[in-house]
Amino acid sequence: FEEKFSAHAQTSLNRIFREARDNADSPQSTPVIIGFDVTASMGYLAEELALNSLNKAITYLYDRKPISCPQIMCCAIGDCKSDKYPLQVTQFESDIRIIKQLTELCLEGGGGGNGGESYNLAWYFAAHRTLIDSFEKRMKKGHLITIGDDNCHSSLTCREIKRVFGDSAEYDLSSEELIAFAEKMYNVFHICIDKGTAEDERIFLGWRELLPGRTAIINRKDISCLSELIYALISVAEGRTVNEALSNVDQQAAERIAGSLAYINIKQGNTISF
């Protein structure tokens, strides 16, 4: 993968923006950001996500359209405390060009063994580095889903923000603050991957405290159903019930992911009012 690491992925995130704009082919664009953990603890699952499961999920969203005119961006998430490439992002795309960009991301396989990963980089990027017509024109939220097997670091420090984004922050930003920033424009979710270890339940509980009602879990044996789980999360955020969302996917897949949605409870509507 390092040999395929493209120029757009290597570029510093300083002053880089990603735009989800309306156009003739996508007149009512809705942005979707899917971030996935590429640290060492993910093992083969990082490559499985990059080459297969996310490919399928992206195609599924384009075909089934739980939202109008989906424009999808993927990001590879590492650990900003130790990794060379802690966050890599593609463009927003409304067709399968996104899949080629996805395969060009570097699966660094890092992480610091320090009790967490930097999923909060995706929230910062969404809040400060994306420009989206759905919000600017229609006051409608997009969707941001991160996927991984570890805890999230409790904050982004000023030094980390400067190194990754080139921004000068006045103080360290807690993960709770970063979620709040991102949630102004996006429905934020996290999918925990259950790998069958003793730590999985503790990690899942930690995420449920950080993102109450927005945290799902999927067993690594059910990773082939990730498409249906992402579809269901977006459908629920768009106002459908869990049962309605599950009724629109393959029955066998619905049975396998029903438990994954047990803690999903969307209390806010998708349209923002002031």
Side-chain angles (χ1 to χ4, degrees), residues 232-251:
L233 290 175
I234 292 175
S235 295
V236 171
E238 290 286 320
R240 303 175 185 91
T241 67
V242 170
N243 286 337
E244 287 171 339
L246 291 175
S247 70
N248 289 326
V249 303
D250 174 79
Q251 183 177 356

Side-chain angles (χ1 to χ4, degrees), residues 19-29 69 71 92-94 97 133 137-138:
E19 300 181 66
R21 298 301 195 187
D22 299 341
N23 55 55
D25 296 325
S26 189
Q28 295 282 317
S29 60
C69 305
Q71 292 191 2
F92 282 106
E93 299 288 0
S94 53
R97 284 176 293 183
D133 277 351
K137 292 182 177 181
R138 296 178 288 280

Side-chain angles (χ1 to χ4, degrees), residues 43-83:
Y44 77 92
L45 287 172
E47 186 169 341
E48 165 61 30
L49 288 171
L51 295 180
N52 298 310
S53 297
L54 286 182
N55 184 323
K56 178 184 173 186
I58 290 164
T59 303
Y60 197 85
L61 292 179
Y62 286 148
D63 290 344
R64 302 294 292 271
K65 290 184 172 57
I67 47 178
S68 64
C69 305
Q71 292 191 2
I72 302 173
M73 184 188 93
C74 292
C75 52
I77 299 169
D79 186 345
C80 63
K81 299 184 183 301
S82 59
D83 291 354

Side-chain angles (χ1 to χ4, degrees), residues 1-13 16 18 85 88-91 100-101 104-106:
F1 265 86
E2 289 185 6
E3 293 178 357
K4 297 181 180 180
F5 194 25
S6 67
H8 73 76
Q10 295 183 65
T11 305
S12 167
L13 294 175
I16 285 180
R18 292 293 186 249
Y85 308 115
Q88 304 160 65
V89 299
T90 70
Q91 301 285 347
K100 181 178 186 299
Q101 294 181 38
E104 291 173 343
L105 297 174
C106 175

Side-chain angles (χ1 to χ4, degrees), residues 194-208:
D194 180 354
K195 299 196 301 183
T197 70
E199 290 291 296
D200 290 336
E201 181 63 23
R202 181 184 61 80
I203 291 170
F204 183 44
L205 289 173
W207 274 101
R208 284 172 54 196

